[in-house]
Amino acid sequence: MSGIDALLATQVAELHKVTAALLLELRMIRTGRHAVHDVEHESVIARKLYAERRRRDKHFDHCGVIFGEPAWDILLDLFIAYEDGKSQSVSATCIGACVPQTTGLRWIAMLEREGLVHSWHGERDGRYRMLGLTPAGVETMVRYLRDCR
């Protein structure tokens, strides 16, 4: 990947983050709630849900085999990364979701088709695919996590 392609990929990823944040802020303004407080709260809920899933896997000694929901684990992992201002590689996302890479790739492709996740080639090394939530993915996660309160 050329330097220009890497720069464009980075800018597209950043644009997705900014767009998602603006959509969330607009929704908060319309409903009279302050976005920063709500997002922090939703981030806490997402982290608790993720930790609960990992704790359950540990006690049942089967990382996701019995209670497997790869799509949900991927979305939770990517939402937490989004809240931390990070993007993740496909490999890191598969590890975070406790699924083999082949399984993770199938679910990532499905989430991309649904418009919840987008991928791009890594900035420094074009061999890596990076992942992030789309604005629609962020909005859907926020709506769900708000409903968990």
Side-chain angles (χ1 to χ4, degrees):
M1 178 185 303
S2 73
I4 292 173
D5 290 338
L7 179 62
L8 285 173
T10 302
Q11 289 175 341
V12 167
E14 194 59 36
L15 183 59
H16 278 287
K17 286 181 188 178
V18 170
T19 303
L22 289 173
L23 287 171
L24 184 58
E25 187 66 31
L26 180 60
R27 173 155 285 133
M28 294 298 104
I29 290 169
R30 287 182 183 158
T31 60
R33 291 181 286 186
H34 190 267
V36 173
H37 172 72
D38 286 348
V39 170
E40 288 174 354
H41 187 70
E42 283 119 21
S43 178
V44 169
I45 294 169
R47 289 172 200 281
K48 286 181 180 179
L49 288 170
Y50 182 84
E52 173 60 29
R53 293 182 64 75
R54 299 296 71 85
R55 186 171 35 255
R56 183 178 65 184
D57 290 343
K58 182 178 81 173
H59 286 285
F60 284 90
D61 199 30
H62 296 36
C63 190
V65 174
I66 296 173
F67 305 109
E69 288 182 279
W72 181 237
D73 286 326
I74 290 167
L75 289 171
L76 277 173
D77 198 37
L78 290 175
F79 183 78
I80 291 167
Y82 169 82
E83 287 300 308
D84 290 343
K86 300 176 182 173
S87 54
Q88 293 197 151
S89 68
V90 168
S91 298
T93 301
C94 292
I95 291 167
C98 285
V99 294
Q101 192 153 359
T102 53
T103 301
L105 288 170
R106 282 194 306 273
W107 285 100
I108 289 165
M110 185 273 304
L111 292 168
E112 283 185 294
R113 283 191 303 273
E114 292 297 315
L116 298 171
V117 170
H118 67 100
S119 65
W120 64 95
H121 290 286
E123 182 179 326
R124 293 190 179 115
D125 187 341
R127 295 174 296 177
Y128 289 96
R129 269 183 59 214
M130 304 301 290
L131 294 174
L133 293 175
T134 62
V138 172
E139 185 177 335
T140 303
M141 288 298 292
V142 167
R143 270 197 325 263
Y144 173 78
L145 294 166
R146 253 189 225 135
D147 200 38
C148 289
R149 292 186 202 172

